[in-house]
Amino acid sequence: MDMVMQGMREVLFFGILPDAAAAAQMTGLGRELANGDRLCPADRLHLSLLGFQLDVWRRDTLLAIARRVGAAIATEKFDVVLPKACSFARREASGSLVLRCAPAATGLLTRLKDGLGDAAAANGRNLRGPSRFTPHVTLAYRAAAISETTLDRPISWRAREVVLIRSEQGRGRYTYVDRWPLGST
């Protein structure tokens, strides 16, 4: 039976995972700012780069393409710095509480995302989507809106790998499908 018909969608996406210290800081900050809204579990915190819906009928083909795209990553390790908390509005009445990247990390992440998009296109899968890309980590969903806030101390970590994640939306499950280390520096 089609996964969408069962109320669940599968999505594959490339992301950067925070290290344990950064994830713990984010969880603590989320508790402070989210006013009891549904927090993202520490083990699912991530910064999304590029994703696509996983078609149940072509799962193996799409996974193979995603693995070729991941294998094409040619980026050095870099620091992800999150100095601001804010709300992202959604179409529904509620939104999400996020941490936004500093400009230097935003440029690096945008180039990484664009490189993944180029590799996907070279493998027959156009994943361009909307041109607007705002690198962020979501701390809570259905969060009450907050004004953009500069953190006293930015949350940061060294990005050392890109991870391919399968998300079972509607069940809140993530499966880490594959990982590609970033170059040395």
Side-chain angles (χ1 to χ4, degrees), residues 135-152:
H136 65 280
V137 175
T138 301
L139 299 180
Y141 294 100
R142 294 188 210 132
I146 66 164
S147 299
E148 185 172 273
T149 304
T150 300
L151 305 178
D152 292 335

Side-chain angles (χ1 to χ4, degrees), residues 40-170:
C40 293
D43 65 341
R44 289 199 349 236
L45 293 170
H46 65 277
L47 194 150
S48 295
L49 295 168
L50 184 71
F52 56 96
Q53 187 165 339
L54 190 56
D55 177 345
V56 69
W57 306 114
R58 297 184 314 145
R59 176 182 282 125
D60 292 340
T61 301
L62 294 172
L63 281 167
I65 289 171
R67 285 189 165 112
R68 287 193 302 269
V69 168
I73 294 169
T75 301
E76 301 296 318
K77 295 176 183 133
F78 60 93
D79 292 325
V80 175
V81 180
L82 305 165
K84 296 184 184 282
C86 64
S87 296
F88 277 0
R90 300 173 102 186
R91 288 186 187 111
E92 304 93 46
S94 60
S96 53
L97 171 64
V98 303
L99 296 176
R100 290 186 55 182
C101 285
T106 295
L108 290 167
L109 289 160
T110 299
R111 285 191 294 282
L112 179 54
K113 175 196 155 294
D114 289 346
L116 290 167
D118 291 344
N123 281 280
R125 186 78 180 165
N126 182 5
L127 301 178
R128 290 285 173 209
S131 60
R132 186 169 179 213
F133 176 60
T134 305
H136 65 280
V137 175
T138 301
L139 299 180
Y141 294 100
R142 294 188 210 132
I146 66 164
S147 299
E148 185 172 273
T149 304
T150 300
L151 305 178
D152 292 335
R153 217 175 78 211
I155 296 174
S156 64
W157 75 92
R158 187 92 171 142
R160 300 180 184 285
E161 65 182 0
V162 173
V163 180
L164 180 63
I165 301 166
R166 182 174 62 94
S167 171
E168 295 177 41
Q169 296 181 336

